[in-house]
Amino acid sequence: PVVEGDRLALGSGVVLEAMETPGHTQGCVSWVLSEDGKPLRLFSGDTLWHGGAGRVDLHAHEGVPAEAQAAALHQSFTKLKSLPDDVVVHPAHGGVAPSGKGGKKGASTIGEEKEGNKMFQCASAEDLIRIITKGQPLLPSYYTTCLRVNKQGPPPLARAAAAVPLMAPEAFATALKNSATDPGTLFVDTREAPEFHQEFLLGSVNIPMGTNDGLHELSAELESHEGMFNLWLGRIAPADVRLYVITDPGRERDAFLRLARAGLDTNVRGVLDGGFPSAPKSAARVSHDRVKASELVKAQEDGAVVLDVREVGEFTHPKAGHLKGAYNIPFPKLRGAIPQLKAQFPGKKFVVYCAGGFRSTTAAAMLHAHGVTATDVDGGYALIKKELSEEQKAFDMDLKIEA
């Protein structure tokens, strides 16, 4: 293993030197590039971001409290602050991601981080834990799987590519029918949202796969899905979930490989051979009509239960807020909360919204799969807030459903 002070010579006078910088994880290492003894660049991994830092709760499932990791991260920051202010910082992340807090794209310098990064500026570990955990998105459930796979080493992708578990349409339909009483299974439709809205298999949820290489970052509103299929699936699927996958024709292998990148390929029990068009008539099909932002308040007045599936930090944002009377269940927690919702609001219609309409599509389909009448708001809160008066907004955690 790499330890503090390990050096790698890259050429005449050019050296990479390891700095142990735990906090985000217990084994985080940063690398300092020097030339003729002068530090020039810092490759900070997930420890220090441009304007942010890696989250400190990744080891909570192992009994290591976030407070202990925050104390370690604070010590690592103290060590990094000893570098000259003109050292260029190259973090592993750019923009917003659930593995950290804050963050801007591009490089910065140690001096810029001292001046503009609130987490880097913290005088104590207590201040750091308060700032870094406030409004932090819930930890994706598949992160524990990733930690295990990263330690053990993943199997070659070529092995996964040769083992796509294609499933005959009739067998797939039977599995879907049986899943109604099996909370350990999840049927995922990877087509784009407009196609899913027109027609989908009852019991499936929509997480679009997108068209790019699957390596893009999340947007600042946590709404981008392009290339983030496996990440979004990992946010709602428990580590031991049994997955069944529906794709566009010809994209079966692509979907399976993207799941393999997140260590989820071993969870897949079947990929519908031939994609959605091959599903037999015995599989019930439904469509999904969306509510316009201008219609939401009327739907609420008519008795619909409004669910806001954004993260707590979005729901209580001091500037944007939320629709007064909406219940908050963060998207990753919704699946586990559905039995409670059915018991608390028997026979009620649900209208779901998020920031831009991506999470809410999946959430509404999830409710459909459990026999709940549901729709979602096209365009999400980005459009809803334009329709609301200040009296129709709220900013505190007024209606939260524990899940």
Side-chain angles (χ1 to χ4, degrees), residues 300 306-308 315 322-328 353 398-399:
Q300 187 183 45
V306 178
L307 288 183
D308 184 324
F315 186 73
H322 57 270
L323 171 65
K324 187 177 293 184
Y327 289 84
N328 179 233
Y353 73 82
D398 49 351
L399 292 173

Side-chain angles (χ1 to χ4, degrees), residues 16 71 82 89 95 104 119 141 145 150 167-168 198 211 219 225 237 258 261 321 375:
L16 271 177
S82 68
V89 179
K104 306 172 185 177
M119 281 157 271
S141 57
T145 301
N150 286 343
M167 197 169 189
Q198 290 178 8
T211 57
S219 72
H225 73 270
R258 295 194 191 196
R261 288 175 178 163
T375 186

Side-chain angles (χ1 to χ4, degrees), residues 80-135:
L80 294 178
K81 287 176 184 176
S82 68
L83 293 169
D85 284 355
D86 61 353
V87 168
V88 179
V89 179
H90 299 278
H93 272 290
V96 176
S99 55
K101 178 72 180 293
K104 306 172 185 177
K105 292 186 177 181
S108 64
T109 65
I110 291 293
E112 289 172 359
E113 295 308 304
K114 288 179 180 178
E115 292 180 2
N117 187 330
K118 292 182 178 179
M119 281 157 271
F120 201 54
Q121 295 169 346
C122 285
S124 68
E126 291 74 22
D127 288 342
L128 180 59
I129 188 69
R130 176 178 53 82
I131 292 175
I132 203 169
T133 58
K134 184 178 181 181

